[in-house]
Amino acid sequence: MIENEGIVIKSIDYGDSNKIITLFTISGLKSLNVRGAQKPSSHTFNFAKEFILLKYEDRGKYLIGGKVENYYTNIINNIDLTKSALRIFELINALVEHINNNEIAYEFLKQCLDLINNNADHKLIELIFRIKFLYLIGLAPNFNSCVNCGSKEELAYFSLFDGGMKCNNCKNIMDYHLTKEELDLFRILYLVKLDKLIENIDQIKYNYDDLNKVLNMFYSHFLGFESNVEKIYKKINN
Ligand SMILES: [Zn+2]
Protein backbone atom coordinates (compact mmCIF):
# COMPACT_ATOMS: atom_id res chain seq x y z
CA MET A 1 0.00 0.00 0.00
CA ILE A 2 1.35 3.39 -1.01
CA GLU A 3 0.06 5.73 1.65
CA ASN A 4 2.61 8.47 2.12
CA GLU A 5 2.44 11.62 0.11
CA GLY A 6 4.77 14.51 -0.50
CA ILE A 7 5.79 17.21 -2.91
CA VAL A 8 9.24 16.84 -4.42
CA ILE A 9 10.91 20.19 -3.84
CA LYS A 10 14.47 19.14 -4.70
CA SER A 11 16.15 16.39 -6.68
CA ILE A 12 19.89 15.87 -7.09
CA ASP A 13 22.04 13.23 -8.76
CA TYR A 14 23.61 10.70 -6.45
CA GLY A 15 26.32 8.41 -7.75
CA ASP A 16 26.08 7.14 -11.30
CA SER A 17 22.42 6.29 -11.47
CA ASN A 18 20.48 7.27 -8.34
CA LYS A 19 18.87 10.52 -7.25
CA ILE A 20 18.24 11.94 -3.82
CA ILE A 21 14.86 13.62 -3.62
CA THR A 22 13.67 15.99 -0.92
CA LEU A 23 9.97 15.79 -0.25
CA PHE A 24 7.88 18.16 1.80
CA THR A 25 5.29 16.10 3.69
CA ILE A 26 2.87 16.52 6.58
CA SER A 27 5.78 15.57 8.84
CA GLY A 28 8.24 18.05 7.35
CA LEU A 29 11.11 17.40 4.97
CA LYS A 30 12.07 13.90 3.98
CA SER A 31 15.04 12.80 1.86
CA LEU A 32 14.94 9.55 -0.06
CA ASN A 33 17.33 7.75 -2.35
CA VAL A 34 15.64 6.77 -5.62
CA ARG A 35 17.46 3.93 -7.34
CA GLY A 36 18.00 4.25 -11.09
CA ALA A 37 16.21 7.61 -11.29
CA GLN A 38 18.85 9.21 -13.54
CA LYS A 39 17.96 6.87 -16.41
CA PRO A 40 14.98 8.00 -18.49
CA SER A 41 14.17 4.35 -19.22
CA SER A 42 13.88 3.52 -15.52
CA HIS A 43 10.43 3.21 -13.97
CA THR A 44 11.67 5.43 -11.13
CA PHE A 45 12.69 8.30 -13.46
CA ASN A 46 9.41 10.19 -13.00
CA PHE A 47 9.47 9.85 -9.22
CA ALA A 48 12.55 12.07 -8.98
CA LYS A 49 11.24 15.04 -10.93
CA GLU A 50 10.94 18.34 -9.12
CA PHE A 51 7.47 19.86 -8.81
CA ILE A 52 5.49 16.66 -8.56
CA LEU A 53 3.00 15.42 -6.03
CA LEU A 54 4.18 11.92 -5.23
CA LYS A 55 2.57 9.04 -3.38
CA TYR A 56 5.39 6.87 -2.10
CA GLU A 57 6.47 3.96 -0.04
CA ASP A 58 9.85 3.94 1.64
CA ARG A 59 12.11 1.57 3.46
CA GLY A 60 15.04 3.04 5.34
CA LYS A 61 16.58 5.69 3.14
CA TYR A 62 15.14 4.26 -0.05
CA LEU A 63 12.03 4.85 -2.05
CA ILE A 64 10.59 1.45 -2.89
CA GLY A 65 7.33 2.39 -4.57
CA GLY A 66 5.70 5.44 -6.04
CA LYS A 67 2.88 6.96 -8.02
CA VAL A 68 2.85 10.49 -9.42
CA GLU A 69 -0.42 12.16 -8.43
CA ASN A 70 0.21 15.49 -10.15
CA TYR A 71 2.91 16.72 -12.53
CA TYR A 72 1.78 20.36 -12.26
CA THR A 73 2.32 20.55 -16.01
CA ASN A 74 1.24 24.16 -16.42
CA ILE A 75 3.72 25.27 -13.79
CA ILE A 76 6.71 23.51 -15.34
CA ASN A 77 5.82 24.70 -18.86
CA ASN A 78 5.62 28.37 -17.99
CA ILE A 79 8.70 30.23 -16.75
CA ASP A 80 6.66 32.80 -14.78
CA LEU A 81 4.59 30.17 -12.99
CA THR A 82 7.78 28.24 -12.31
CA LYS A 83 9.30 31.31 -10.70
CA SER A 84 6.37 31.72 -8.32
CA ALA A 85 6.51 28.04 -7.38
CA LEU A 86 10.27 28.20 -6.89
CA ARG A 87 9.95 31.17 -4.58
CA ILE A 88 7.51 29.17 -2.49
CA PHE A 89 9.74 26.08 -2.48
CA GLU A 90 12.84 27.98 -1.47
CA LEU A 91 11.05 29.43 1.56
CA ILE A 92 10.04 25.96 2.71
CA ASN A 93 13.49 24.60 2.06
CA ALA A 94 15.25 27.38 3.95
CA LEU A 95 12.85 27.86 6.83
CA VAL A 96 11.32 24.44 7.39
CA GLU A 97 12.67 24.14 10.93
CA HIS A 98 10.67 27.22 11.90
CA ILE A 99 7.34 25.81 10.72
CA ASN A 100 5.15 25.17 13.76
CA ASN A 101 2.55 22.98 12.04
CA ASN A 102 3.80 20.98 9.04
CA GLU A 103 0.40 19.50 8.34
CA ILE A 104 -1.19 22.92 7.83
CA ALA A 105 1.85 24.13 5.89
CA TYR A 106 1.69 21.08 3.61
CA GLU A 107 -2.02 21.45 2.84
CA PHE A 108 -1.49 25.15 2.25
CA LEU A 109 1.39 24.46 -0.14
CA LYS A 110 -0.71 21.97 -2.08
CA GLN A 111 -3.62 24.38 -2.32
CA CYS A 112 -1.34 27.14 -3.62
CA LEU A 113 0.33 24.88 -6.20
CA ASP A 114 -3.08 23.71 -7.43
CA LEU A 115 -4.23 27.29 -7.81
CA ILE A 116 -1.09 28.35 -9.69
CA ASN A 117 -1.32 25.29 -11.89
CA ASN A 118 -4.99 26.00 -12.61
CA ASN A 119 -4.33 29.51 -13.87
CA ALA A 120 -5.16 31.57 -10.80
CA ASP A 121 -3.14 34.79 -10.64
CA HIS A 122 0.22 33.22 -9.80
CA LYS A 123 1.85 36.39 -8.55
CA LEU A 124 -0.94 37.00 -6.09
CA ILE A 125 -0.91 33.38 -4.89
CA GLU A 126 2.85 33.64 -4.38
CA LEU A 127 2.43 36.82 -2.32
CA ILE A 128 -0.37 35.25 -0.29
CA PHE A 129 1.84 32.24 0.42
CA ARG A 130 4.76 34.41 1.49
CA ILE A 131 2.55 36.53 3.76
CA LYS A 132 0.68 33.62 5.36
CA PHE A 133 3.91 31.66 5.72
CA LEU A 134 5.00 34.29 8.24
CA TYR A 135 2.21 33.04 10.46
CA LEU A 136 3.19 29.41 9.94
CA ILE A 137 6.71 30.15 11.17
CA GLY A 138 5.50 32.08 14.17
CA LEU A 139 6.26 35.55 12.89
CA ALA A 140 3.12 37.54 13.35
CA PRO A 141 3.51 41.15 12.33
CA ASN A 142 1.16 43.41 14.23
CA PHE A 143 -0.90 45.22 11.60
CA ASN A 144 -3.64 46.41 13.94
CA SER A 145 -2.11 48.84 16.37
CA CYS A 146 0.99 50.91 16.85
CA VAL A 147 3.70 48.67 18.36
CA ASN A 148 4.93 51.66 20.35
CA CYS A 149 1.85 53.35 21.84
CA GLY A 150 -1.03 51.00 20.95
CA SER A 151 -2.92 53.60 18.93
CA LYS A 152 -5.06 52.30 16.11
CA GLU A 153 -5.13 55.62 14.29
CA GLU A 154 -2.93 56.85 11.46
CA LEU A 155 -1.01 53.63 11.11
CA ALA A 156 1.10 54.30 8.11
CA TYR A 157 4.58 53.11 8.95
CA PHE A 158 5.92 49.63 9.14
CA SER A 159 8.79 49.07 11.53
CA LEU A 160 10.95 46.09 10.68
CA PHE A 161 12.84 46.46 13.92
CA ASP A 162 9.70 46.30 16.06
CA GLY A 163 7.84 43.86 13.81
CA GLY A 164 4.72 45.85 13.24
CA MET A 165 2.96 49.08 12.46
CA LYS A 166 3.68 52.49 13.92
CA CYS A 167 1.48 55.55 14.03
CA ASN A 168 2.35 58.96 12.73
CA ASN A 169 3.52 60.12 16.17
CA CYS A 170 5.82 57.21 16.87
CA LYS A 171 7.36 56.76 13.43
CA ASN A 172 11.08 56.58 13.17
CA ILE A 173 13.25 57.62 10.25
CA MET A 174 14.07 53.94 9.62
CA ASP A 175 10.44 52.84 9.35
CA TYR A 176 9.00 51.93 6.01
CA HIS A 177 6.06 53.95 4.78
CA LEU A 178 3.02 51.96 3.67
CA THR A 179 0.09 53.55 1.94
CA LYS A 180 -3.36 52.90 3.38
CA GLU A 181 -4.06 50.60 0.41
CA GLU A 182 -0.89 48.60 1.01
CA LEU A 183 -1.64 48.24 4.69
CA ASP A 184 -5.22 47.11 4.05
CA LEU A 185 -4.00 44.61 1.49
CA PHE A 186 -1.39 43.22 3.87
CA ARG A 187 -4.00 42.80 6.56
CA ILE A 188 -6.43 41.09 4.22
CA LEU A 189 -3.88 38.72 2.73
CA TYR A 190 -2.51 37.89 6.17
CA LEU A 191 -5.81 37.42 8.00
CA VAL A 192 -8.37 36.16 5.49
CA LYS A 193 -8.50 32.43 4.80
CA LEU A 194 -7.26 31.32 1.39
CA ASP A 195 -10.65 29.96 0.26
CA LYS A 196 -12.31 33.29 0.96
CA LEU A 197 -9.54 35.17 -0.82
CA ILE A 198 -9.92 32.97 -3.88
CA GLU A 199 -13.66 33.65 -4.08
CA ASN A 200 -12.89 37.36 -4.37
CA ILE A 201 -9.58 37.16 -6.15
CA ASP A 202 -10.60 39.41 -9.05
CA GLN A 203 -11.36 42.25 -6.67
CA ILE A 204 -7.94 42.22 -5.03
CA LYS A 205 -5.91 45.11 -6.37
CA TYR A 206 -2.22 44.90 -5.68
CA ASN A 207 1.19 45.99 -6.84
CA TYR A 208 3.55 43.02 -6.89
CA ASP A 209 6.77 45.02 -6.72
CA ASP A 210 5.71 46.99 -3.63
CA LEU A 211 4.57 43.97 -1.66
CA ASN A 212 7.51 41.95 -2.83
CA LYS A 213 9.85 44.64 -1.54
CA VAL A 214 8.27 44.76 1.93
CA LEU A 215 8.20 40.98 2.20
CA ASN A 216 11.83 40.70 1.11
CA MET A 217 12.81 43.21 3.81
CA PHE A 218 10.80 41.36 6.42
CA TYR A 219 12.26 37.94 5.65
CA SER A 220 15.74 39.36 5.40
CA HIS A 221 15.51 41.27 8.68
CA PHE A 222 13.97 38.55 10.85
CA LEU A 223 15.33 35.41 9.27
CA GLY A 224 18.36 36.50 7.28
CA PHE A 225 16.64 35.01 4.27
CA GLU A 226 17.42 36.31 0.78
CA SER A 227 15.78 34.89 -2.30
CA ASN A 228 18.19 33.18 -4.70
CA VAL A 229 15.36 32.64 -7.17
CA GLU A 230 14.84 36.38 -7.44
CA LYS A 231 18.56 36.94 -8.02
CA ILE A 232 18.73 34.24 -10.69
CA TYR A 233 15.66 35.53 -12.55
CA LYS A 234 17.05 39.07 -12.45
CA LYS A 235 20.21 37.82 -14.14
CA ILE A 236 18.18 36.01 -16.80
CA ASN A 237 16.15 39.12 -17.51
CA ASN A 238 19.13 41.45 -17.81
ZN1 LIG B 1 2.20 55.21 18.21
Side-chain angles (χ1 to χ4, degrees), residues 6-225:
I7 289 165
V8 178
I9 63 169
K10 212 161 94 182
S11 176
I12 53 167
D13 287 348
Y14 184 74
D16 289 337
S17 61
N18 296 2
K19 284 198 175 220
I20 303 281
I21 58 171
T22 305
L23 295 138
F24 185 59
T25 74
I26 54 168
S27 324
L29 290 187
K30 185 169 188 71
S31 288
L32 287 174
N33 192 326
V34 188
R35 286 195 185 95
Q38 287 181 42
K39 290 191 212 92
S41 59
S42 163
H43 77 285
T44 59
F45 180 73
N46 281 339
F47 303 155
K49 283 185 172 160
E50 282 174 358
F51 290 105
I52 55 165
L53 175 59
L54 184 70
K55 293 250 188 202
Y56 68 93
E57 197 184 345
D58 58 321
R59 193 172 297 145
K61 290 175 180 157
Y62 291 90
L63 180 135
I64 57 167
K67 181 172 180 272
V68 179
E69 290 284 301
N70 197 336
Y71 284 99
Y72 300 114
T73 319
N74 291 334
I75 295 180
I76 55 166
N77 287 331
N78 178 311
I79 190 167
D80 295 321
L81 305 192
T82 307
K83 182 187 174 190
S84 285
L86 281 173
R87 290 215 62 177
I88 289 172
F89 284 180
E90 75 171 346
L91 273 189
I92 290 177
N93 224 341
L95 302 172
V96 68
E97 77 267 25
H98 297 282
I99 297 175
N100 41 43
N101 187 325
N102 280 308
E103 206 167 333
I104 292 177
Y106 178 72
E107 291 305 327
F108 182 47
L109 170 66
K110 239 168 63 169
Q111 242 181 330
C112 287
L113 288 178
D114 279 338
L115 286 163
I116 293 173
N117 196 50
N118 294 326
N119 296 320
D121 180 340
H122 66 95
K123 284 188 168 178
L124 185 54
I125 302 297
E126 177 206 313
L127 289 171
I128 291 170
F129 185 93
R130 287 162 63 198
I131 289 176
K132 288 191 178 299
F133 193 70
L134 291 172
Y135 171 81
L136 289 171
I137 56 176
L139 272 188
N142 181 354
F143 291 117
N144 293 319
S145 56
C146 173
V147 288
N148 198 39
C149 74
S151 165
K152 298 191 178 194
E153 309 298 320
E154 294 184 71
L155 299 174
Y157 294 86
F158 188 76
S159 165
L160 280 176
F161 191 74
D162 298 307
M165 296 304 298
K166 279 199 194 161
C167 71
N168 232 345
N169 293 327
C170 300
K171 72 168 188 269
N172 181 293
I173 191 149
M174 295 292 286
D175 298 338
Y176 184 78
H177 182 257
L178 289 173
T179 64
K180 169 115 183 27
E181 288 74 26
E182 285 171 335
L183 175 60
D184 287 345
L185 183 59
F186 249 103
R187 267 195 199 129
I188 290 167
L189 298 187
Y190 184 80
L191 295 170
V192 179
K193 282 200 185 305
L194 187 62
D195 302 340
K196 278 266 169 287
L197 286 175
I198 299 313
E199 281 172 27
N200 303 301
I201 197 159
D202 294 335
Q203 289 154 39
I204 302 173
K205 301 276 176 287
Y206 70 100
N207 178 311
Y208 179 85
D209 291 337
D210 290 348
L211 257 73
N212 182 41
K213 193 172 150 197
V214 181
L215 279 169
N216 280 346
M217 289 195 305
F218 205 86
Y219 275 103
S220 163
H221 180 83
F222 284 103
L223 301 152
F225 173 80

